Amino acid sequence: MIRRRLGALVLTLVLGLAGGAVAAVATPAPAQAGTLVCGNRYFLRAASTNTYISVDPGTGLVYADITWKGWWQQFRVCRETSWDKRHFVLKSEAASAGFGADSFLRPVANDFAVFPHTLENYDIFMWDGGNPYWGLVHASTGRYLSVSSPLSVYPGPANLGWGQALYRES
């Protein structure tokens, strides 16, 4: 517990001193699901709550109150071969099977959701940071996926702090 809090303090200080902000960048042209190449599968665990980012099977809304890894907590990194290596979309294979079509993570109002839709620039993300903590940055807005409580996963600030820190687990 003390080690985790100390790590959070060091992360906050380092990011605060370094600026920790990622400016929104020009995003690549959108792809269609059939043209994507999917690779690594990750479980994303929020450092602030020690819970996994998960998809609600009924609504597709994203939350973080699960303490175990399962199919609904797994995301796959997909990209078009013409995109810069730092740009990708996150696909939930569980939601894709549940909804009957490819389903991708995207911000929706003040939340995140995973549902079938035509891909747009608004669906593209980037990683920021590095071991052990990562930030998931929405490429169009520069805002980080943030977790303030187990049920609150939302587009947060444009800088990486403790509420935006994720463990990226295989």
Side-chain angles (χ1 to χ4, degrees), residues 40-93:
N40 295 338
R41 290 181 173 94
Y42 293 112
F43 297 96
L44 304 175
R45 185 166 45 98
S48 62
T49 59
N50 201 31
T51 54
Y52 289 93
I53 306 298
S54 185
V55 179
D56 180 277
T59 64
L61 287 175
V62 175
Y63 60 97
D65 72 344
I66 303 294
T67 57
W68 65 87
K69 297 180 202 176
W71 200 31
W72 289 93
Q73 292 75 45
Q74 187 177 61
F75 293 91
R76 194 155 190 199
V77 173
C78 302
R79 65 176 47 92
E80 169 132 340
T81 55
S82 65
W83 291 355
D84 184 299
K85 292 290 184 202
R86 63 189 172 154
H87 294 118
F88 58 87
V89 293
L90 284 177
K91 178 181 179 180
S92 168
E93 291 177 339

Side-chain angles (χ1 to χ4, degrees), residues 74-147:
Q74 187 177 61
F75 293 91
R76 194 155 190 199
V77 173
C78 302
R79 65 176 47 92
E80 169 132 340
T81 55
S82 65
W83 291 355
D84 184 299
K85 292 290 184 202
R86 63 189 172 154
H87 294 118
F88 58 87
V89 293
L90 284 177
K91 178 181 179 180
S92 168
E93 291 177 339
S96 297
F99 292 127
D102 288 334
S103 299
F104 300 94
L105 179 70
R106 81 174 317 178
V108 178
N110 290 321
D111 294 305
F112 280 94
V114 175
F115 56 90
H117 61 276
T118 301
L119 290 175
E120 302 172 2
N121 286 353
Y122 203 63
D123 300 314
I124 298 171
F125 291 90
M126 303 180 302
W127 294 117
D128 184 34
N131 286 334
Y133 306 111
W134 294 87
L136 184 61
V137 183
H138 184 248
S140 295
T141 64
R143 296 174 70 189
Y144 286 77
L145 179 139
S146 300
V147 179

